[in-house]
Amino acid sequence: MKRFTTTAFALGLCMYAFAQEAPDAAIVSKIRKEGLENSKVMDISFNLTDANGPRLSNSPGLKRAQEWAMKQLTDWGLKNAHLEAWGTFGKGWQVDKYYAATTLPYYHAIIASPKAWTPGTNGPIKSNVVLIKADSVADLAKYKGKLAGKIVMMDAGAPLTSGIRPDFSRYADTTLAKMAEAKPAAGGQRGPRPGGANNMMAQMMKMREVRAAMSAMLVDEKVGLILTYARGGQGTFFTSNGASYALDAKPVSPELEVAAEDYLHILRLLRAGKPVEIEADVKTSFYDQDPQGYNVIAEIPGTDKKLKDELVMIGGHFDSWHAGTGATDNAAGSAVMMEAMRILKTIDFK
């Protein structure tokens, strides 16, 4: 299945168990006891994240985690743990190293990450930052022939706002009751969009056209590095892909996704006419020897002859982005699924 946050395919961690027709109170009690008193879910999470690192699709990190998962499932006594190809994914990719810092007007290490499936800088580079201002494709003409080897960034960035609410809060029972009583919105055809919405869509399409033309121009110009404003704030930023993972993907320029605080810091200096010099060194690797995508599969075989042709499947997508270790996206879900299978096997559920 496709992940809704990106065009990358999510790799499922799928495991099978045969179904029972009715709940068994004794089995439920054993499940609760094992889960509450002997949980291994944090150990599983540790191995999926800290021990094996980022799990970008088809990357060495994903393959490490898949190998660990198969061995662990086998050690727990599950049967037929293996990788099962689901189809062609494309190129793997990983960050080998990256470094970026301002050296003028003073030294400052930049919080950033290479965008997935983008190339490296082919060694250390140093350049004054060129600020590109372009509201139309025609505006790009003034930069042609001037960007070879340069570090560039766009004159854009959303202002940061302070958070005044907790990241998470628990719904009160009264709130949940109201949500349960809510009526679905009436169906029917949507009416015409308000004028403001149409104007916003037109602006978005225009900017998409400008960005596509800019990307092509920067490749032709052979820029040294692109700095991109990363979504996020308050010390956290979210990474994405800067190129396609397809085997025949078009070439792109090296690109760093920069934390909002650092991006806006550089942008303020440039808008004030202050020169900013940056040194950077980005190295990435591509892997195209095996473009197949794989699921991790393991089984608890059933024993009921009446249900021998039926199965219960549980799972969660196993991959992550590359700038972190994917704790919530989606080691948490995969760890819970593996723990569920461990518990069922440990209590000898059949």
Side-chain angles (χ1 to χ4, degrees):
M1 63 180 176
K2 287 188 177 181
R3 294 177 61 180
F4 62 86
T5 54
T6 177
T7 55
F9 287 96
L11 301 181
L13 178 64
C14 302
M15 296 160 285
Y16 300 106
F18 284 90
Q20 285 186 316
E21 292 183 356
D24 184 317
I27 290 294
V28 171
S29 178
K30 288 182 179 180
I31 290 172
R32 287 178 55 82
K33 181 178 177 62
E34 177 64 24
L36 293 173
E37 298 181 7
N38 193 35
S39 174
K40 297 294 187 289
V41 72
M42 294 307 295
D43 293 335
I44 300 168
S45 299
F46 165 77
N47 279 284
L48 290 180
T49 56
D50 292 342
N52 283 294
R55 303 177 305 283
L56 189 71
S57 297
N58 265 20
S59 69
L62 177 65
K63 296 183 186 301
R64 283 194 303 269
Q66 289 174 326
E67 292 292 334
W68 172 84
M70 286 191 295
K71 182 179 185 304
Q72 184 62 81
L73 292 164
T74 300
D75 290 347
W76 288 337
L78 277 75
K79 304 298 183 183
N80 194 29
H82 65 283
L83 293 179
E84 183 175 283
W86 53 258
T88 300
F89 172 79
K91 293 181 289 189
W93 178 91
Q94 77 170 9
V95 179
D96 297 318
K97 72 172 182 178
Y98 75 91
Y99 160 77
T102 60
T103 52
L104 186 73
Y106 44 80
Y107 178 85
H108 173 74
I110 296 171
I111 300 173
S113 173
K115 277 196 168 185
W117 291 287
T118 60
T121 56
N122 196 28
I125 63 172
K126 180 182 284 190
S127 161
N128 278 3
V129 180
V130 177
L131 185 62
I132 296 179
K133 301 179 181 181
D135 295 323
S136 67
V137 174
D139 291 340
L140 298 173
K142 59 188 174 187
Y143 298 102
K144 289 186 177 180
K146 302 177 182 178
L147 301 178
K150 297 293 185 180
I151 296 175
V152 304
M153 63 185 289
M154 291 43 166
D155 191 359
L160 295 177
T161 57
S162 298
I164 59 174
R165 296 181 179 179
D167 291 335
F168 303 98
S169 60
R170 185 179 294 277
Y171 286 119
D173 290 344
T174 53
T175 303
L176 291 171
K178 289 181 180 179
M179 293 169 66
E181 295 171 358
K183 303 297 182 183
Q189 297 294 323
R190 292 184 178 179
R193 290 174 175 266
N198 285 331
N199 291 338
M200 185 180 297
M201 181 61 69
Q203 286 294 322
M204 289 176 60
M205 295 301 294
K206 180 181 177 181
M207 288 308 300
R208 183 176 297 179
E209 179 186 16
V210 172
R211 288 172 183 168
M214 185 184 303
S215 295
M217 182 192 75
L218 295 178
V219 171
D220 292 340
E221 290 285 306
K222 296 181 172 57
V223 298
L225 181 65
I226 302 170
L227 305 181
T228 304
Y229 181 86
R231 181 172 59 90
Q234 301 180 48
T236 299
F237 70 98
F238 297 87
T239 54
S240 59
N241 57 309
S244 170
Y245 47 78
L247 294 174
D248 58 353
K250 294 180 180 179
V252 298
S253 303
E255 188 169 355
L256 280 183
E257 211 153 17
V258 180
E261 292 84 355
D262 283 344
Y263 192 95
L264 294 175
H265 169 214
I266 298 167
L267 183 59
R268 289 192 298 271
L269 289 168
L270 293 173
R271 284 176 173 174
K274 305 290 185 181
V276 177
E277 182 184 68
I278 287 179
E279 61 182 13
D281 188 4
V282 180
K283 183 179 180 182
T284 64
S285 294
F286 292 84
Y287 301 88
D288 58 6
Q289 298 89 343
D290 182 3
Q292 292 294 305
Y294 295 92
N295 291 324
V296 178
I297 305 292
E299 302 171 355
I300 298 177
T303 57
D304 191 322
K305 294 181 180 179
K306 294 181 179 179
L307 301 176
K308 64 179 181 179
D309 295 326
E310 298 184 17
L311 59 85
V312 174
M313 183 174 74
I314 64 173
H317 84 72
F318 203 55
D319 62 343
S320 76
W321 284 107
H322 55 288
T325 56
T328 60
D329 184 15
N330 179 45
S334 295
V336 169
M337 296 300 100
M338 290 184 68
E339 172 70 350
M341 296 303 288
R342 183 197 69 80
I343 291 172
L344 293 176
K345 184 61 182 175
T346 299
I347 67 172
D348 199 26
F349 168 70
K350 295 180 180 179

